[in-house]
Amino acid sequence: MTKANSSIFRFAIIFMLILEIRIQLSEESELLVDRSKMDLTHVPKDLSLKTTILDVSQNSISELQASDILSLSKLRILILSYNRIQYLDISVFKFNQELEYLDLSHNNLSKISCHPTVNLKHLDLSFNGFEVLPICKEFGNMSQLDFLGLSATLLQKSSVLPIAHLNINKVLLVLGEHYGQKEDPESLQDLNTKSLHIVFPTRKEFDFVLDVAASTAVSLELSNIKYVPDDNEYSYFINVLLKLQKNPRLLNLTLNNIETTWNSFIKILQLVWHTTIEYFSISNVKLTGELDHEYFNYSGTSLKALSIHQVFSDAFRFQQGYVYNIFSNMKIQNLTVTGTRMLHMLCPLHISPLVYLNFSNNLLTDVVFKNCTSLTALKTLILQMNQLKELANIIYMTKDMKSLQQLDISQNSLRYENEGNCFWTKSLLILNMSSNILTDSVFRCLPPSVAVLDLHNNRIVSIPKDVTSLEALEELNVAFNHLTDLPGCGTFSRLSVLIIDYNLVSHPSADFLYSCQKIRSIKAGNNPFQCSCEIREFIKSISQISSEMVKGWPESYKCAYPESYKGTPLQDFHISQLSCNTTLLIITIGVTVLVLVVTVTFLCICLDLPWYLRMICQWTQTRYRARNTPLEELQRNLQFHAFISYSGHDSAWVKSELLPNLEKEDIRICLHERNFVPGKSIVENIINFIEKSYKTIFVLSPNFVQSEWCHYELYFAHHKLFQDASDNLILILLEPIPQYSIPSNYHKLKTLMAQRTFLEWPKEKNKHGLFWANLRATINIKLIEQNK
Ligand SMILES: *[C@@H]1O[C@H](CO)[C@@H](O)[C@H](O)[C@H]1NC(C)=O
Ligand SMILES: *[C@@H]1O[C@H](CO)[C@@H](O)[C@H](O)[C@H]1NC(C)=O
Ligand SMILES: *[C@@H]1O[C@H](CO)[C@@H](O)[C@H](O)[C@H]1NC(C)=O
Ligand SMILES: *[C@@H]1O[C@H](CO)[C@@H](O)[C@H](O)[C@H]1NC(C)=O
Ligand SMILES: *[C@@H]1O[C@H](CO)[C@@H](O)[C@H](O)[C@H]1NC(C)=O
Ligand SMILES: *[C@@H]1O[C@H](CO)[C@@H](O)[C@H](O)[C@H]1NC(C)=O
Ligand SMILES: *[C@@H]1O[C@H](CO)[C@@H](O)[C@H](O)[C@H]1NC(C)=O
Ligand SMILES: *[C@@H]1O[C@H](CO)[C@@H](O)[C@H](O)[C@H]1NC(C)=O
């Protein structure tokens, strides 16, 4: 047995044992401590007292003492394989009452001291340096022993006696490299086990006389058989096999690691053929030499199943047809030939009872079983990992396999191009075409009754809507293809399992779940989902069904686009109703605009918004100008903030409103009735005071225009300089002046009115505050005191 094989076996046993213990003691929790491959020379001291499983395999431990494991009273499984222990005193385990599983294989043990132990179920002492079988008489009390691994270089019938009364399930017996000097053929006679595995020394040519069938075993496994005979030489191994014929108990025979000739190989087959063995398995075979065409006697066999795995042949220097012929005409139920470089297999000559054929990992081509009408009982055909190329040929091959239910043609190079008649056998239920190079066209011809269809890892871009209806299809695997959407269930109405992960599905349609009423399980993760509005329906429908149905949810369902959502689980992707619904969006925008328009209209009509805006605008301009005018220049020669000109008819307003509101803020106002110098002409006075004032305010009303404006027209006519500096003019429109009432020669007034650069006196009281503030801001400037 190879190292890898034995460790796989070991782990399988441990796993099963753990599982069994778990079930028995589901309340108690296991504590597994793995210290394997750590170069330890001793069992570590720092272990938890609750440790139930301890793995210290593959270290350099050379000694095991009671103190090492004394405190681990809960220890159930101890794995010490692949260390350097030479001596073991079984009494070291006397405080580990729970210990059930002890693996000491692959050490250098040559001696053990015995001590009563009763609870062990699994004891492995194989692959050690024992000379005689390490069987203490105390082993006889281990009534629960299920597995016993032994090793020895000398077998004696008496050594087995202490355990002869036990019903062991499996015994592994490893014969040391020096085995064979003094053989007692009957030494295993008293071994009471259901299954016996004998490992012969590796280096030696098989020259043993041990009666391997002497025990009670129903199942026998022999490893390491090197048997390359010269012609007519006495054959020890054939002799050993001949003894099998005398043991009618034997049902299973497994041969491992065989090195022999083609002729001997066929001879072995023929020998086993005539025994009571029902299951014959051969693996890791190295064959040399040529093959003579000898007659194979098919009569009288018990064989039901033959398995041949991993055959290495240096060269085929003979017609292989002969070998294929032997296998194809065996009247057995199950035939497995895998990992050989077999190129072909012949069609059985007569109706064959073969039910199961497993030819995976060979070199079979499309012509295998072509036109073969004798495989009518065949239910399962496995052609995985071969050299199949054209699916049409395989479809045609199944034509006459009336019972075929399961076909595995995965891991070939199959494509389907030529469209001919669709010959699939009607009986096919499970079809595995995964890992080929099939495209969408494969859906044009599928077996009508197929229930499980595996098409993963192909080149399918879309599932055509018009595929032949697959009413029986329950399970569809199209993972690892190039699909961009989930299929609808129109054509496969009974679909209950869909596997479509690792595709290019970006916008999965939500109606999938509605169209597939029978769906029980869907696996659609690891697709590049586009997280936008379209995916919301899908997320919604997925989260509505139970999470057990959605395999891999939520961890393998993530956004791939847009960049901002990359890696976000679909479960956490939320987008507002508004941004997805165009109608809703348009309505919302419409309503918003409408509300805005109504508000603005309301503000304009009822609250005179334009007036306020104008006011604010002027204020801003004033501020701006004030900042940009060199102040000092202005301040020179100024005595007043403003000179006010108005008509006598408006004097009431000026005195009751204007003056109080301006002067309370320390603004100096010049009024002609207060400040005019008597004896000068009105125009002289006006010009004089305008020049001493920072601003000139005209209170405009129809009266003013009629009675007073003429004085200023003159002034404006003479002082062109001021015409450009209309900055200094402030017009307050006290009452509206109709355009017609302005005399046609008042050009300046018309211009000013047209420019609308006046402040309107608001009728509403609540606007007065802003009006005054604005006015004050316009004329407020710090006057230099000495100019007073
Ligand atoms: C195994 O033990 C023997 C003595 O029993 C010793 O001679 C030998 O060196 C040991 N081998 C290893 C690999 O420790
Ligand atoms: C072990 O078995 C022997 C008989 O083989 C019996 O006399 C003895 O009492 C047993 N010991 C225990 C501890 O069961
Ligand atoms: C014999 O082999 C068959 C098929 O591998 C298996 O099902 C059966 O359990 C084996 N019997 C024994 C006793 O190991
Ligand atoms: C074939 O085998 C059967 C059973 O072992 C035997 O009776 C018969 O004689 C054999 N036939 C030939 C031609 O050897
Ligand atoms: C043949 O193989 C199939 C599938 O592994 C199995 O179900 C069946 O029991 C086998 N038949 C016999 C006779 O071992
Ligand atoms: C076919 O045989 C191989 C090799 O023994 C095995 O790994 C595989 O599971 C078998 N396939 C089936 C479908 O039984
Ligand atoms: C299979 O049968 C067809 C027609 O029956 C024939 O043309 C073809 O040559 C046959 N192929 C083989 C490999 O026997
Ligand atoms: C199809 O075969 C592949 C191996 O090629 C295997 O992994 C897969 O489980 C099989 N599918 C089914 C449905 O048995």
Side-chain angles (χ1 to χ4, degrees), residues 206-404:
F206 193 96
D207 58 358
F208 311 111
V209 293
L210 185 68
D211 184 357
V212 293
S215 75
T216 59
V218 176
S219 183
L220 182 64
E221 185 170 347
L222 305 176
S223 295
N224 301 337
I225 294 147
K226 193 173 169 188
Y227 157 57
V228 188
D230 294 334
D231 289 338
N232 300 322
E233 191 187 327
Y234 174 78
S235 167
Y236 288 92
F237 185 62
I238 296 297
N239 234 35
V240 163
L241 288 186
L242 278 169
K243 286 188 191 156
L244 299 185
Q245 288 175 332
K246 295 186 199 122
N247 182 348
R249 276 190 310 267
L250 215 54
L251 296 181
N252 288 11
L253 177 65
T254 304
L255 303 180
N256 281 322
N257 300 340
I258 306 173
E259 208 181 312
T260 189
T261 58
W262 270 102
N263 275 332
S264 303
F265 181 66
I266 300 296
K267 200 165 181 184
I268 293 168
L269 270 183
Q270 179 73 82
L271 261 170
V272 173
W273 190 264
H274 291 303
T275 62
T276 54
I277 286 162
E278 293 180 356
Y279 298 90
F280 185 27
S281 173
I282 312 172
S283 40
N284 289 314
V285 191
K286 191 174 170 218
L287 296 179
T288 52
E290 299 186 25
L291 183 59
D292 305 324
H293 291 214
E294 273 181 46
Y295 164 77
F296 195 89
N297 186 343
Y298 286 104
S299 70
T301 188
S302 308
L303 204 64
K304 290 182 181 161
L306 172 63
S307 301
I308 297 170
H309 311 283
Q310 305 300 332
V311 176
F312 309 94
S313 181
D314 54 355
F316 284 108
R317 283 172 290 175
F318 52 87
Q319 274 285 313
Q320 294 164 53
Y322 173 62
V323 187
Y324 302 146
N325 199 40
I326 291 176
F327 287 114
S328 70
N329 290 303
M330 285 183 169
K331 301 238 181 286
I332 57 176
Q333 284 175 28
N334 286 15
L335 176 61
T336 300
V337 181
T338 69
T340 73
R341 299 183 61 79
M342 176 168 78
L343 295 166
H344 190 53
M345 181 49 69
L346 293 171
C347 180
L349 292 172
H350 309 285
I351 297 295
S352 167
L354 278 167
V355 171
Y356 172 94
L357 275 181
N358 184 345
F359 289 159
S360 69
N361 193 10
N362 289 300
L363 299 174
L364 298 175
T365 60
D366 291 7
V367 290
V368 69
F369 295 141
K370 198 168 187 182
N371 290 355
C372 184
T373 52
S374 53
L375 288 169
T376 48
L378 193 64
K379 283 190 178 152
T380 306
L381 177 56
I382 317 282
L383 296 173
Q384 191 187 94
M385 291 175 85
N386 276 284
Q387 304 278 308
L388 308 180
K389 294 220 156 58
E390 285 290 341
L391 182 60
N393 291 333
I394 307 305
I395 295 174
Y396 187 74
M397 172 198 79
T398 68
K399 182 171 60 92
D400 296 309
M401 299 181 173
K402 302 287 180 217
S403 310
L404 192 67

Side-chain angles (χ1 to χ4, degrees), residues 525-576:
N526 296 300
N527 273 297
F529 293 112
Q530 165 100 40
C531 285
S532 58
C533 294
E534 290 94 81
I535 206 162
R536 287 176 322 141
E537 278 300 308
F538 175 73
I539 298 176
K540 206 169 125 205
S541 61
I542 282 280
S543 13
Q544 273 165 3
I545 55 182
S546 97
S547 60
E548 271 164 40
M549 269 173 69
V550 190
K551 304 294 174 211
W553 181 266
E555 64 280 1
S556 38
Y557 296 73
K558 288 186 180 148
C559 304
Y561 310 101
E563 207 56 40
S564 54
Y565 282 112
K566 195 168 183 162
T568 309
L570 288 198
Q571 185 178 241
D572 302 333
F573 172 73
H574 302 289
I575 188 166
S576 71

Side-chain angles (χ1 to χ4, degrees), residues 426-456:
K426 303 276 181 294
S427 52
L428 207 55
L429 300 179
I430 304 173
L431 177 57
N432 195 339
M433 300 196 281
S434 62
S435 302
N436 280 292
I437 48 175
L438 295 164
T439 58
D440 303 4
S441 60
V442 71
F443 284 95
R444 284 197 221 116
C445 174
L446 288 170
S449 55
V450 71
V452 178
L453 181 58
D454 193 341
L455 278 166
H456 84 258

